[in-house]
Amino acid sequence: MAKDIRRLFELFETSPVLVAAYDEFDRLRYANAAFRSAYFLEPDEMPLWPDLMRRNFHARRGTVICIADFEEWLRSTQSRRGKVGYRAFETDLFDGRWLWMTETVEKDGWMLCVATDVTGLKAKTRAVRQDRDLAIKASYTDELTGVANRRFVTARIDDMLQQPVGQTSPGCLCVLDIDRFKSINDQFGHQTGDTILRDFAMRIHRLVRRTDCFGRVGGEEFVLTLPATPVEQAKLILERMLASVRKSRPLQGRPDFGYTFSAGIAGAQPGDTAISLYARADRALYMAKLAGRDRIHLDETDPDRSAVAG
């Protein structure tokens, strides 16, 4: 067996096809010679995917990213990256090559990336497919904040609920709502409100795992899916998010201005649909608001509710 594995790696190393594997935290764990050459990686390097993309963007090498605000592009891309079991798309490199990239995600969050050089395809056909990919991206992205939109998040809730019941928790749904957002709009104007929404999306997104999905569903309300995550762990994740937002001072010229959010958490139960799970998380959010805002409330109907303080 060990000999077969060594032979497999030897084949990968000499193949012109780009092969890489990322763990559930989106850290590179393996890359063959073709992948390392295309993305300027040293043999023993294991960077996080966003760090790799960031450094290549600033060095103008690797993937061509035609956008002025890299962090906005990164936030939008990470909102969709690794959220479905398989996806395929085209990408171009600064060296002139075009790649057909596939991403296959296992249940434990590990991702296999395989890319083939398709530079020889007709440019006209390639442009049509690229336009299609951009349209698909736009249909799944919230235009203001750059995170996933209601359509994409709802599909991920359905995915979470369709996972086979095993020993681990099927997951949790969290509904997040910025506190007193209407008052912020009324006092400072809608432009400031938009600034708050973008700041909130950025701060929360930084704390989201690749296997999770965070998106805006409307107004000041956002949703976070946490697959295979028990309620007590979901509460810890949300508490870190509460602390991060409390520290934010997003308005230039107003260093004293801060804001908070409230959240409701519901653990998926047998027979749940996206609608029923969302309704329970939304009801928990309402209870958090009634209790004084800037806090988390857990769904009272969750059988594990008694094990976690609300």
Side-chain angles (χ1 to χ4, degrees):
M1 178 65 72
K3 183 178 179 180
D4 292 339
I5 293 175
R6 286 198 302 271
R7 180 56 179 156
L8 180 62
F9 276 92
E10 289 173 0
L11 290 172
F12 281 160
E13 284 302 303
T14 58
S15 172
V17 176
L18 284 65
V19 181
Y22 291 86
D23 66 16
E24 69 273 29
F25 302 106
D26 225 1
R27 183 175 294 280
L28 184 69
R29 291 301 185 182
Y30 169 77
N32 70 349
F35 191 96
R36 292 195 300 269
S37 175
Y39 290 98
F40 298 86
L41 285 157
E42 295 297 327
D44 297 328
E45 274 193 286
M46 292 192 296
L48 290 166
W49 178 82
D51 293 339
L52 173 61
M53 299 302 291
R54 185 180 288 110
R55 81 182 189 192
N56 281 344
F57 171 79
H58 291 299
R60 294 186 60 79
R61 64 190 190 186
T63 302
V64 176
I65 303 171
C66 298
I67 191 168
D69 189 337
F70 172 81
E71 296 302 325
E72 179 181 333
W73 173 88
L74 183 64
R75 185 164 58 251
S76 175
T77 302
Q78 285 184 292
S79 292
R80 293 169 289 106
R81 175 177 164 82
K83 304 301 188 287
V84 294
Y86 174 86
R87 72 170 183 143
F89 55 94
E90 285 189 27
T91 185
D92 56 327
L93 304 179
F94 270 100
D95 63 15
R97 284 183 292 166
W98 280 77
L99 302 178
W100 177 253
M101 178 81 74
T102 65
E103 296 176 347
T104 305
V105 183
E106 296 297 314
K107 292 180 180 179
D108 60 4
W110 278 63
M111 176 191 287
L112 175 67
C113 299
V114 179
T116 305
D117 190 335
V118 293
T119 309
L121 294 179
K122 293 181 179 179
K124 183 177 180 180
T125 306
R126 181 194 304 152
V128 170
R129 287 195 302 274
Q130 190 176 31
D131 289 343
R132 177 206 61 192
D133 291 343
L134 290 173
I136 292 173
K137 175 183 175 181
S139 71
Y140 289 143
T141 304
D142 177 63
E143 185 176 359
L144 176 64
T145 62
V147 297
N149 61 13
R150 176 190 290 270
R151 178 183 179 186
F152 190 84
V153 173
T154 301
R156 303 292 75 75
I157 299 172
D158 288 333
D159 290 345
M160 180 175 71
L161 294 176
Q162 290 170 9
Q163 292 299 317
V165 178
Q167 295 181 349
T168 59
S169 167
C172 293
L173 181 66
C174 312
V175 180
L176 294 68
D177 190 272
I178 299 175
D179 294 327
R180 299 185 173 87
F181 187 73
K182 184 178 183 303
S183 297
I184 294 173
N185 270 336
D186 292 344
Q187 182 177 357
F188 300 106
H190 288 280
Q191 186 173 358
T192 296
D194 288 350
T195 298
I196 301 303
L197 289 169
R198 285 191 291 265
D199 180 80
F200 179 74
M202 175 189 68
R203 287 184 168 272
I204 299 299
H205 186 265
R206 288 174 177 172
L207 299 174
V208 173
R209 303 170 300 185
R210 200 195 66 204
T211 51
D212 306 330
C213 184
F214 171 65
R216 183 184 178 209
V217 295
E220 67 273 26
E221 190 169 290
F222 295 75
V223 163
L224 174 65
T225 65
L226 302 172
T229 303
V231 171
E232 56 269 25
Q233 185 179 351
K235 187 171 184 286
L236 292 174
I237 292 171
L238 265 293
E239 285 175 346
R240 289 196 293 270
M241 293 175 175
L242 281 176
S244 175
V245 171
R246 287 178 188 135
K247 296 175 184 177
S248 179
R249 297 296 180 267
L251 302 184
Q252 292 185 356
R254 295 181 179 273
D256 59 331
F257 177 85
Y259 69 99
T260 60
F261 75 95
S262 301
I265 302 175
Q269 299 176 14
D272 259 332
T273 64
I275 293 175
S276 65
L277 181 58
Y278 182 90
R280 290 192 288 109
D282 194 50
R283 184 165 56 246
L285 168 66
Y286 178 70
M287 297 304 296
K289 295 283 189 180
L290 286 182
R293 300 181 177 87
D294 187 22
R295 64 193 63 209
I296 302 162
H297 194 85
L298 308 180
D299 171 33
E300 298 286 353
T301 66
D302 193 314
D304 296 327
R305 172 68 178 85
S306 60
V308 188

